Amino acid sequence: QASVGSTVTSVTGDFHMQNVLLQMGLQLVAPNGRAVDKLYLWQLRCEACGKVCKEAGRAFCPGCGNMGTLRKVRVQIDGDGA
């Protein structure tokens, strides 16, 4: 899962930090051999209409306009970054 052009390698056993490093395109070495195998991003999902938005600071849903219905959800990133 290492980036081809990166000359930086980080060593960490922290899964949250591994996720960030891999999203940044840096090479990763896990000291215990246990590295993350899936990458995740956090987005907001409206409990009322189901719309998902990537803007973390929103208070109102961009789909239905409700306030207080946006909840943080984890979204898995596949191999091509989608």
Side-chain angles (χ1 to χ4, degrees), residues 77-82:
I77 305 171
D78 60 14
D80 61 358

Side-chain angles (χ1 to χ4, degrees), residues 8-70:
V8 175
T9 300
S10 296
V11 180
T12 182
D14 183 325
F15 289 136
H16 297 286
M17 185 57 82
Q18 289 178 8
N19 190 16
V20 171
L21 292 169
L22 290 175
Q23 287 182 33
M24 291 173 59
L26 300 176
Q27 295 181 18
L28 172 68
V29 175
N32 56 4
R34 295 183 57 209
V36 295
D37 56 351
K38 298 176 186 153
L39 293 179
Y40 295 99
L41 288 178
W42 293 96
Q43 296 179 348
L44 297 174
R45 183 178 180 277
C46 179
E47 291 182 329
C49 70
K51 176 134 177 103
V52 176
C53 65
K54 298 178 181 180
E55 300 171 42
R58 291 194 70 99
F60 296 91
C61 173
C64 65
N66 281 328
M67 180 178 179
T69 58
L70 294 175

